[in-house]
Amino acid sequence: MKWLSNRYAYPLVIFAILISGALQFAWLNQLFIAQRVQVKLDLEQTVADAAKMSSYMSVVPGHEGNENFRNFFLSPEWRQFSQAYTNMRYKIGSRFDDHYNADSTILNISLRFGNEKERGSQHRRVVRFDFGEPLRVSQAKDRRDRKRMDSLVHREIDKTEFSLTTYTAIRGYADDNIINGLAADKIKNAAFTSRQYTYDLKFFHTYQLVVPAIDGLVLYRMRYYLISSCLMLLLTGAVFIFILRLMHNQRLYAQARLSFTSNMTHELKTPVATVAIALESIMENHLENDPVTLRNYLEISRSELKRLNLMIDKVLNIEQLDHGQDRLRAELFDVQLCLQEVIGSMQLQLKNASASIQWQPLDEPCFVSGDPVHLTNVFYNLIENAIKYGGKGVIIEVSCKRMSEEIMISFKDNGPGIAAIYQDRVFERYFRIPVGTTAIHNVKGTGLGLNYVKQIVEKQGGRITLSSEVGKGSNFIIYLPANK
Ligand code: ADP
């Protein structure tokens, strides 16, 4: 999988996201087209149903209890039949008549196929529907019927919960002229125009629904698909980013491990080589006869071996923490006393680095419950780092403060500081700030120290924070639960 993690990973991820985006788009586009057709069909059906109901309601007075009447006028067949009349009204003459008997109503429907001579006759165009007596066309009733038709249509449209702009075209049944003042180009440019429907049985006018734009309604209907598609894309993107970051971190980790190994080898070899040279010199130069030089060489060897020991301890401590062999003890522990001892033991290092420590113990003791060995290592690490990275003449301020629930221990230096981008990362294992980014020059280290410090502090129920500014210095603050 090496090829995946290196050169091709990013292009592959971008390619995958682009392809999945394009597929989603194509799929949504298909859905949009299909939904557009469906919306038009639904609107047509809405107007057709309203026309059927409106026609029925216009003739039902007087026939309310008649099931057969109802079944007939509300049947789709009748609707198709009467719609066919409307559609064919220029081609044929037709006529409805009915007769009441004591037990039934007879509806006669007649078609009149006019001959050439009759072309132009008014009679040919008018479809009549009569109950018993010829029905008198009443404008007022027609207006009421039209209003009912309109409200039936809009009641249905309102159910979509989408505010759809609509117009209505009312045309003369016989001459097809728009009589309600709707501009013809509104119909021409509309996204949807329904067929013309008669809304009562007088066939005086036709009703037509005009919708200027339906895309909004289509998108509204597709909203769940759109949202889920966006979510899917976002999720895919997020997963890819997560995986890439993971890969990136793993690469950094692998690099850090590699440089740790070489650093460590160097760190271990230096004291061994120094001690070897010192011993060789002692033997070759018969330094037993020169006690001052001998003592000097032995001193060097002792301090190198001490350094070696500390290094090994560091690695072992981390190993133990990793393998859960760290039974941290919980003893009453005087933080100030420990700080005093650690500072005392570092006088030589401080002197070599021309560094100074400002440390003012408080009168009241600061007790925590913790493991003395590990906490001593923690303090040692932080002061050692301040000396190591602070540069010649660094001033280190160590202070301890008792708060209501916690003990706050601060290690502040006026060294080179740590850039904001590295402030979290310095606590990662093996992480060392790349040389050249700050004033730190080639200081030896393993990248284990702060990781160990953080682990111990957290295992003791505390936390560590870092505030630092490049060029001004760093302040590592430890908070440990106070022992009451
Ligand atoms: P090591 O010191 O072995 O490299 P640490 O985990 O102790 O590992 O430190 C990690 C990095 O944090 C160091 O490499 C150093 O760059 C930076 N650092 C730690 N303490 C300080 C400090 N007081 N001032 C500036 N940089 C620091």
Side-chain angles (χ1 to χ4, degrees):
M1 292 294 267
K2 198 164 182 249
W3 62 274
L4 185 68
S5 60
N6 296 334
R7 251 187 311 154
Y8 299 109
Y10 284 93
L12 204 73
V13 164
I14 291 167
F15 180 70
I17 290 180
L18 283 180
I19 288 290
S20 76
L23 285 177
Q24 296 271 340
F25 180 77
W27 183 66
L28 286 174
N29 195 39
Q30 283 300 317
L31 198 69
F32 182 80
I33 293 167
Q35 280 290 323
R36 219 163 181 276
V37 172
Q38 190 57 45
V39 163
K40 285 183 181 180
L41 285 176
D42 290 352
L43 284 171
E44 193 69 56
Q45 191 60 43
T46 301
V47 190
D49 286 348
K52 187 169 75 179
M53 185 50 86
S54 183
S55 298
Y56 170 68
M57 287 165 93
S58 78
V59 295
V60 78
H63 299 270
E64 283 86 352
N66 191 335
E67 267 299 301
N68 286 336
F69 191 89
R70 182 189 161 81
N71 289 344
F72 175 75
F73 279 105
L74 287 182
S75 67
E77 290 80 2
W78 163 243
R79 191 64 235 163
Q80 282 167 8
F81 191 57
S82 73
Q83 188 64 36
Y85 267 99
T86 305
N87 294 347
M88 302 262 292
R89 63 192 183 281
Y90 301 120
K91 299 199 176 82
I92 57 168
S94 50
R95 188 183 154 86
F96 296 97
D97 282 315
D98 77 344
H99 308 290
Y100 286 116
N101 279 343
D103 62 347
S104 58
T105 301
I106 298 164
L107 177 71
N108 291 325
I109 299 162
S110 64
L111 298 176
R112 274 163 35 90
F113 298 96
N115 58 34
E116 282 301 303
K117 276 184 221 153
E118 276 184 307
R119 194 180 285 270
S121 141
Q122 271 289 37
H123 210 62
R124 192 173 64 84
R125 292 193 180 184
V126 177
V127 178
R128 282 209 220 103
F129 176 73
D130 300 330
F131 275 114
E133 300 157 23
L135 205 99
R136 263 187 235 318
V137 173
S138 141
Q139 292 280 358
K141 182 160 187 323
D142 182 75
R143 269 199 297 277
R144 276 204 306 279
D145 288 346
R146 195 192 307 166
K147 225 171 158 179
R148 181 178 48 219
M149 168 73 185
D150 208 42
S151 84
L152 283 171
V153 168
H154 283 97
R155 195 190 304 163
E156 208 51 38
I157 287 177
D158 287 350
K159 284 186 190 160
T160 59
E161 294 170 358
F162 182 83
S163 77
L164 194 67
T165 309
T166 57
Y167 309 124
T168 311
I170 306 294
R171 297 164 185 267
Y173 184 82
D175 56 17
D176 212 22
N177 287 339
I178 299 172
I179 60 129
N180 66 335
L182 186 75
D185 62 330
K186 281 210 167 143
I187 299 181
K188 213 171 106 206
N189 300 330
F192 169 79
T193 36
S194 74
R195 281 183 293 191
Q196 294 177 33
Y197 291 88
T198 51
Y199 47 85
D200 56 16
L201 288 182
K202 281 173 286 176
F203 300 156
F204 199 45
H205 293 117
T206 61
Y207 179 102
Q208 187 174 29
L209 182 74
V210 179
V211 184
I214 57 166
D215 289 357
L217 178 59
V218 176
L219 290 174
Y220 181 72
R221 276 200 183 183
M222 288 172 59
R223 61 193 182 282
Y224 294 118
Y225 297 104
L226 288 171
I227 292 170
S228 57
S229 277
C230 289
L231 276 181
M232 226 164 93
L233 272 182
L234 280 178
L235 216 72
T236 318
V239 167
F240 276 133
I241 289 170
F242 176 75
I243 291 173
L244 282 180
R245 286 187 71 145
L246 207 73
M247 276 164 53
H248 179 71
N249 282 347
Q250 271 180 351
R251 211 171 53 228
L252 287 182
Y253 188 76
Q255 279 169 0
R257 249 197 105 97
L258 218 69
S259 64
F260 164 76
T261 313
S262 74
N263 274 346
M264 201 60 199
T265 318
H266 182 84
E267 291 278 293
L268 294 176
K269 275 181 97 172
T270 315
V272 172
T274 316
V275 172
I277 291 171
L279 291 179
E280 235 167 72
S281 303
I282 293 170
M283 281 169 66
E284 275 177 16
N285 301 325
H286 299 285
L287 290 183
E288 59 271 20
N289 304 325
D290 181 356
V292 178
T293 320
L294 176 67
R295 197 176 166 75
N296 197 11
Y297 274 43
L298 287 177
E299 201 57 60
I300 291 172
S301 302
R302 197 172 69 165
S303 107
E304 284 300 297
L305 285 176
K306 198 173 155 198
R307 202 154 74 84
L308 188 65
N309 200 27
L310 281 175
M311 196 80 60
I312 292 167
D313 275 354
K314 230 182 211 180
V315 179
L316 283 182
N317 282 336
I318 281 276
E319 278 291 303
Q320 277 175 2
L321 283 180
D322 274 359
H323 294 99
Q325 298 161 350
D326 54 308
R327 292 273 143 73
L328 292 194
R329 288 182 298 178
E331 289 176 13
L332 194 62
F333 175 77
D334 186 344
V335 173
Q336 301 206 93
L337 194 67
C338 176
L339 282 171
Q340 188 75 51
E341 280 170 16
V342 170
I343 292 168
S345 76
M346 297 185 90
Q347 287 309 315
L348 195 68
Q349 272 167 278
L350 286 165
K351 201 170 137 218
N352 288 344
S354 319
S356 60
I357 285 203
Q358 295 174 354
W359 156 242
Q360 270 309 324
L362 297 175
D363 287 341
E364 56 169 342
C366 294
F367 280 109
V368 296
S369 163
D371 189 308
V373 176
H374 285 294
L375 285 176
T376 309
N377 286 344
V378 164
F379 301 157
Y380 188 88
N381 263 299
L382 290 174
I383 298 174
E384 192 194 31
N385 273 355
I387 301 172
K388 258 194 336 188
Y389 299 106
K392 275 244 169 297
V394 64
I395 300 169
I396 306 161
E397 284 173 41
V398 179
S399 64
C400 180
K401 193 170 160 193
R402 206 196 146 96
M403 285 143 69
S404 61
E405 299 284 317
E406 290 173 315
I407 301 288
M408 182 186 107
I409 313 145
S410 151
F411 300 84
K412 191 171 173 205
D413 66 61
N414 62 348
I418 297 171
I421 48 162
Y422 299 125
Q423 286 181 12
D424 280 336
R425 302 210 57 201
V426 287
F427 295 103
E428 285 173 21
R429 183 170 305 180
Y430 307 127
F431 182 81
R432 306 197 71 219
I433 296 175
V435 180
T437 54
T438 65
I440 300 167
H441 296 294
N442 247 351
V443 182
K444 299 277 172 301
T446 56
L448 295 179
L450 287 179
N451 180 260
Y452 167 77
V453 166
K454 190 170 155 76
Q455 285 201 59
I456 291 296
V457 169
E458 285 175 357
K459 275 178 195 284
Q460 300 281 354
R463 67 205 148 92
I464 179 164
T465 64
L466 163 63
S467 55
S468 181
E469 209 177 314
V470 174
K472 292 203 171 156
S474 311
N475 191 6
F476 289 88
I477 302 177
I478 292 174
Y479 298 88
L480 290 171
N483 193 295
K484 290 167 195 161

